[in-house]
Amino acid sequence: MCVFKFIFPFVIFLTIICGNKMAQNNPIDYKITIVYNNIPGDTTKGLSTGFGFSAWLEFGDDALLFDTGGDYVNLGDNLEKLKIDYKKMKAVFISHNHWDHVYGIPTAMGASKGIAKVYAPAKSAKSILEQYPRMTIEGIVEAKEILPNIWSTGEMEVTYREIIFTEQSMIINKEGGLYIITGCSHAGIIEIVKKAKSMFPGKVVKFVTGGFHLNQLGDDEVMKISNQFVELGVEKIAPSHCTGSRAIELFEEEWKGNFMRMNLGDNYSF
Ligand SMILES: [Zn+2]
Ligand SMILES: [Zn+2]
């Protein structure tokens, strides 16, 4: 009896230590699901399309919401229909303070019961908090790891329609390479990829998704961007939201098997 009294806690201790070790050695799988988009995906899912962008990123037992779309009712409806387990939500990442990315914040806060911490570009954090009080917000200035292996590019300055503001994008740093999610890419999609590469020298960019904001560009300029992606060693692209239908068409022709659709309800695991 006495022997068991000592051995049993020791076995428990070993199990915990070994369990932790195994968890560290097992690379986490990530899954991105597009929960808000102006470009519909599979319409049989009955999701609500609206202008804006939001993506659900799941990793292990945790998850975060990247941007929140342009309508909180539609966002809530889509989270329900896609059977998103929003209790897992640890963070809300706001790329920039444009209505089509922040108007769903009330739904995000409600779904996480106010627990999720909001990460926003520092220059917009105050005005976002004024619009949506009673949440914990952290203003991001420099590149930062907000959750294990999940990084912000840090604030990137933008001049858009003569207004100066800042924007951040997200990088998931996996052993095999980098996965980038952008909101609107007002800072320039190529600049964002370059920033990610400068943060992780020598790492290959496996995947870029989100809004690339190329709707004002002619075919030649879009092709220039496409070639720059190639020069930067980007492996796969999934342009959506504000990229522009003509630009998306050109990318699809050019990138063939390395072009992916990430429209409303679509998902990608890596
Ligand atoms: Zn925008
Ligand atoms: Zn947008």
Side-chain angles (χ1 to χ4, degrees):
M1 195 62 186
C2 236
V3 174
F4 278 112
K5 209 171 153 187
F6 287 106
I7 288 178
F8 190 62
F10 186 62
V11 169
I12 297 279
F13 173 72
L14 272 185
T15 312
I16 291 167
I17 293 293
C18 294
N20 278 345
K21 195 93 194 135
M22 275 168 66
Q24 279 166 20
N25 292 342
N26 277 343
I28 298 174
D29 288 326
Y30 295 81
K31 183 182 178 190
I32 305 174
T33 305
I34 305 302
V35 294
Y36 202 103
N37 205 330
N38 40 294
I39 305 179
D42 177 359
T43 51
T44 62
K45 290 179 181 165
L47 303 171
S48 304
T49 311
F51 196 76
F53 184 74
S54 177
W56 178 253
L57 176 71
E58 257 181 291
F59 40 100
D61 293 333
D62 298 327
L64 64 79
L65 192 65
F66 177 102
D67 285 342
T68 66
D71 182 300
Y72 67 90
V73 177
N74 284 351
L75 177 68
D77 189 41
N78 290 346
L79 291 176
E80 288 288 340
K81 285 188 176 143
L82 287 164
K83 297 189 170 57
I84 296 294
D85 185 5
Y86 44 69
K87 288 186 291 301
K88 287 181 163 187
M89 195 191 306
K90 294 290 177 296
V92 178
F93 184 97
I94 299 294
S95 65
H96 66 303
N97 188 16
H98 276 170
W99 70 271
D100 56 319
H101 298 256
V102 300
Y103 274 19
I105 284 178
T107 292
M109 286 296 103
S112 85
K113 298 201 163 56
I115 289 167
K117 186 173 175 184
V118 179
Y119 296 89
K123 286 197 176 72
S124 313
K126 195 166 166 264
S127 65
I128 293 173
L129 193 61
E130 277 165 12
Q131 293 169 72
Y132 308 102
R134 291 191 302 277
M135 60 186 191
T136 311
I137 192 162
E138 180 178 330
I140 299 289
V141 182
E142 301 293 335
K144 182 176 179 176
E145 189 175 27
I146 61 160
L147 286 163
N149 301 317
I150 298 175
W151 288 74
S152 161
T153 53
E155 283 187 296
M156 294 176 75
E157 198 167 275
V158 177
T159 307
Y160 177 61
R161 293 180 178 161
E162 290 168 20
I163 297 169
I164 300 168
F165 60 96
T166 56
E167 182 185 22
Q168 61 175 344
S169 300
M170 183 180 282
I171 304 160
I172 298 127
N173 175 27
K174 280 200 90 176
E175 211 170 281
L178 307 174
Y179 298 76
I180 303 173
I181 312 176
T182 69
C184 267
S185 303
H186 294 296
I189 186 64
I190 294 301
E191 290 311 307
I192 292 165
V193 173
K194 283 182 180 169
K195 178 77 193 270
K197 283 181 73 84
S198 74
M199 286 165 58
F200 302 97
K203 278 226 160 167
V204 67
V205 177
K206 305 290 283 185
F207 179 70
V208 188
T209 193
F212 293 2
H213 206 76
L214 306 174
N215 45 2
Q216 307 291 329
L217 302 190
D219 288 10
D220 288 355
E221 289 165 301
V222 173
M223 288 312 294
K224 208 175 129 191
I225 303 274
S226 174
N227 292 334
Q228 283 176 299
F229 275 137
V230 175
E231 283 159 23
L232 289 165
V234 174
E235 291 187 359
K236 238 184 211 331
I237 56 167
S240 196
H241 176 41
C242 59
T243 302
S245 53
R246 178 60 184 154
I248 290 175
E249 203 174 272
L250 288 170
F251 282 130
E252 188 170 10
E253 276 171 25
E254 196 64 20
W255 285 68
K256 300 185 172 68
N258 290 323
F259 167 93
M260 261 184 64
R261 288 189 190 282
M262 282 296 269
N263 298 330
L264 183 56
D266 292 343
N267 63 71
Y268 177 56
S269 298
F270 52 94

